[in-house]
Amino acid sequence: MSPRLAILVGQRFGRLVVLRSGGRDSIRNILWVCRCDCGCETNTSSRRLISGNTCSCGCLGRERRTIHGACQNGRTTSEYRSWRAMKSRCLWPGNQFFHRYGGRGVKVCDRWLVFANFLADMGPKPSPEYTIDRKDNDGNYEPSNCRWSCGLAQARNRSTNRLLTFGGETLLLSDWAERIGISRCGLVGRLRRHSADVAFTMRKQLRRKLTDGKWTATEPPVEVQT
């Protein structure tokens, strides 16, 4: 076997590990003998391995077609719908959110390609309003990086959230606004007009009134206890 061909030996493609060359098929494509994680061996071509079209001996497809038992009153469960949406975002380029997930390298671990494994690791949702959330937004969908979260928790975990440090403490901009007692938009407005020291030490936005032809503040800045 030439060095160019031997480079695939030992490599893993999904559930398959390449063992040795398997000759050629009827149209001269190079074949490889691969061992699947389930213990079976199969022959497949270099092209199908590298493209990802073949990633098991066929057991993965059978598992996906197996009745998952995730139906209630004729409808799939909320957990099953979350699992299906997760795979679509990461694996199907036609998904409207693919560019934010699979398109930037976020993957679903091999174990979670099977719904039963996903449900065993995640457990049932606390309520139907919960959705799957990744602790590290740049990480993959896998047991160590995922949890069921409510909408508020997910909103606080978005990669687009703005973190601000003041007085040696770092919080989300929305958390600072809550602590100060104003809206998030109000704090954003302050930061556009004032330095952080002034914006964070106002009890509320300065109001001005006209006195003797001059605008004066009706209330001085008050330091916020942090």
Side-chain angles (χ1 to χ4, degrees), residues 53-217:
N53 289 333
T54 298
C55 55
S56 76
C57 67
C59 61
L60 181 57
R62 290 191 294 273
E63 288 175 7
R64 289 173 176 172
R65 290 190 295 270
T66 300
I67 297 174
H68 45 70
C71 288
Q72 294 175 352
N73 300 322
R75 294 189 59 196
T76 54
T77 62
S78 181
E79 291 83 2
Y80 184 81
R81 292 193 295 274
S82 291
W83 172 76
R84 186 173 57 192
M86 169 193 71
K87 290 200 307 172
S88 179
R89 292 192 298 268
C90 295
L91 303 175
W92 183 45
N95 186 287
Q96 61 177 323
F97 302 116
F98 179 79
H99 65 285
R100 291 166 48 187
Y101 294 88
R104 67 182 187 91
V106 177
K107 299 178 181 178
V108 179
C109 68
D110 288 344
R111 175 174 168 78
W112 277 10
L113 294 175
V114 179
F115 174 69
N117 294 338
F118 169 81
L119 185 61
D121 293 335
M122 290 291 293
K125 294 183 179 183
S127 74
E129 291 73 29
Y130 278 65
T131 56
I132 188 168
D133 178 34
R134 284 169 298 135
K135 301 171 188 176
D136 175 5
N137 279 299
D138 294 321
N140 295 326
Y141 283 101
E142 55 191 358
S144 61
N145 193 41
C146 293
R147 61 194 171 190
W148 294 122
S149 293
C150 62
L152 178 60
Q154 286 215 41
R156 292 178 182 275
N157 195 36
R158 289 175 184 160
S159 57
T160 54
N161 280 338
R162 184 176 176 185
L163 291 170
L164 295 173
T165 300
F166 178 71
E169 187 175 6
T170 300
L171 296 174
L172 293 173
L173 187 145
S174 54
D175 289 336
W176 278 119
E178 183 179 348
R179 176 176 293 188
I180 293 170
I182 63 173
S183 68
R184 184 182 186 280
C185 291
L187 182 54
V188 170
R190 285 187 184 183
L191 291 168
R192 287 174 179 167
R193 297 189 300 272
H194 306 287
S195 67
D197 287 343
V198 174
F200 279 89
T201 54
M202 293 179 181
R203 183 177 305 221
K204 56 184 177 180
Q205 187 174 3
L206 289 177
R207 297 182 180 181
R208 298 176 179 274
K209 64 180 181 179
L210 187 64
T211 305
D212 297 330
K214 297 181 180 180
W215 288 101
T216 58

